[in-house]
Amino acid sequence: MSVHRRLGTAAGAALLTLAVAGCSGLGRTAVGTLSYETERELVITVTSPSVNGCHRLAPSGVTRVENRTLNDIVLYRTLDCRGERSIYVATNTSDTIAPGTLPWRSYTVVH
């Protein structure tokens, strides 16, 4: 194998490694907006939330969520994205809590 070919192969491998690392980076976001309404009817909009981790909603919880991101989300009634009574909200859909139920307090982004 020639020196130029080995250098080309090594350079290609290095670029491929960087491309893969870039695609799986920690800075990925759900492109679009997520809007939610508090019990006091205050509407809060988050632009391009991170796809990583658990995200807390308003401290008192929220009664309505509108998902206009390119990713689905999962809503939880707890502050730590745990619990059995979660709900899946697909992209470009919304959810409103039923009267007399606990508000949503956190969410995760499906990716």
Side-chain angles (χ1 to χ4, degrees):
M1 187 182 268
S2 73
V3 172
H4 292 293
R5 187 174 225 183
R6 278 186 266 165
L7 287 175
T9 302
L15 286 174
L16 180 60
T17 301
L18 288 173
V20 170
C23 290
S24 63
L26 298 175
R28 289 188 44 211
T29 63
V31 177
T33 59
L34 182 70
S35 297
Y36 50 90
E37 186 175 325
T38 67
E39 291 178 328
R40 294 182 179 165
E41 298 181 359
L42 174 67
V43 176
I44 299 166
T45 301
V46 178
T47 302
S48 299
S50 171
V51 299
N52 298 307
C54 177
H55 304 279
R56 288 187 177 184
L57 295 166
S60 62
V62 302
T63 57
R64 184 173 193 290
V65 174
E66 185 174 331
N67 181 11
R68 297 288 177 226
T69 70
L70 298 178
N71 295 76
D72 300 344
I73 63 169
V74 179
L75 296 170
Y76 300 88
R77 298 188 189 279
T78 61
L79 293 173
D80 60 359
C81 296
R82 295 179 187 212
E84 298 175 8
R85 300 180 66 152
S86 62
I87 188 164
Y88 193 92
V89 181
T91 186
N92 294 315
T93 61
S94 62
D95 183 74
T96 303
I97 65 168
T101 61
L102 293 173
W104 303 116
R105 297 188 185 272
S106 62
Y107 71 95
T108 57
V109 178
V110 178
H111 61 100

